[in-house]
Amino acid sequence: MKHLIILGDGMADHKVERLGGKTLLQYARPEYMNRLAKAGRTGRLVTVPEGFPPGSEVANTAILGYDLNQVYEGRGPLEAASIGYEMQADDLALRCNIITLEDGKIITHNGGNLQTEDARVLIDYLNENLAKPINEQEGCERVKFICGIQYRHLLIIKGGNKHIQCAPPHDHPNEPWRRLLVTPESSLVGSDIVAARRTAALLNELILKSQELLAQHPFNQARAARGERQANSIWPWSGGYRPSMQTLMQQYPQIHSGAVISAVDLIQGIGKYAGLRIIKVAGATGLADTNYEGKAQAAIEALQQDDFVFVHVEATDEAGHDGDLDLKLKAIDYLDQRLIKPIVEACEKMSEPVCIAILPDHPTPVEQRIHVNEPVPFLIYYKGIEPDSVEHYDEESCVTGGYGLLRLQQFMQEFMKIN
């Protein structure tokens, strides 16, 4: 038995009055998700352990069976692995968004849907002007920006201290940005708080200087002239040191090889530490215009040689963060018809059976525009499974599913029991 997980990032949602009091999954009625739910078994999953933020770095790592208390180091190190940056022992790696600020507020976490080719120009510009020793006579940190994908980039600080509090920009739309600047963790004492204060001060200095620099760049001046949103500030967050993780092959002997398919650096980084080969698909964007068919074909081909395949689609999460109801409904439909449908049809013809799981990592409700820490619905299907009574895949129907409510690593444990 081979194992396939298809994850629609942020796909779960709340009831929406504009949809007659239905959730988006209830309203969209995705054909193949509902078909698999009716033929398979369902349940709900707690993806975020107590004390952790409901971010994709936390939830996806937990879904793959890892204990966050043992391996969590934030997004930065995971994205460093994906980009190909080999972290050193004294590196602090932070996720670094390029965002849009207007009237003293965070308007969007994505720099006005910044594209990678434009972002690369801005990252190079920031490196030329900000990537240098700060207070070198005091032996402080050295700064380096590394270009990622679209608005998602990496900031490396040599000798940085990870015990700081940073606000994820996607969790604070339309909020004043100054009160969200970096601070040391409140529980620190002694030399630890001195080091954390130094790192926090450096990051805040970089944020302020980036705003001055980016406002002067021709890219943003041209956008301003056209009345478009500017990519006018960096926003570092979720920093950590190099993590220590076992591979999935070490944890689950039935997995001999595996692959991850995603347009997002974070997920690729988790996959790399998990021992999965990273498959990059041309035209995979992380948005609703992503290459669903290309991802589906890549998954089908990966199942010919790998025991375990993880397919991640970001589009539903981005639409949720944008508060775009119509786009999120469209993204759910695209995921169902353009990715899940061809994969399921191909799996039905394979000589070796495939166990398929479908779930989100967390809800990103369109009317809140942020991640929320709530259980998510999941389904598991393989030929011959004894179905439960659930006939639709949605947040409410799966409450009565045969798996009940699972927590964290229990999902992967149950999934990998199926042979």
Side-chain angles (χ1 to χ4, degrees), residues 259-272:
V260 59
I261 301 167
S262 175
V264 177
D265 284 338
L266 163 67
I267 305 302
Q268 294 174 12
I270 294 172
K272 184 170 182 179

Side-chain angles (χ1 to χ4, degrees), residues 90-94 130-144 155-164 191-206 241:
D90 61 344
D91 282 347
L92 172 67
L94 300 102
L130 290 180
K132 55 187 178 182
I134 305 293
N135 296 331
E136 189 172 12
Q137 66 275 18
E138 299 178 10
C140 291
E141 301 86 344
R142 182 179 294 272
V143 174
K144 181 194 304 185
L155 174 58
I156 301 294
I157 300 179
K158 289 289 184 183
N161 188 286
K162 74 173 183 177
H163 297 292
I164 51 177
S191 60
D192 288 337
I193 194 168
V194 172
R197 282 174 176 168
R198 178 188 294 173
T199 298
L202 172 60
L203 289 171
N204 291 331
E205 181 181 2
L206 292 172
Y241 310 139

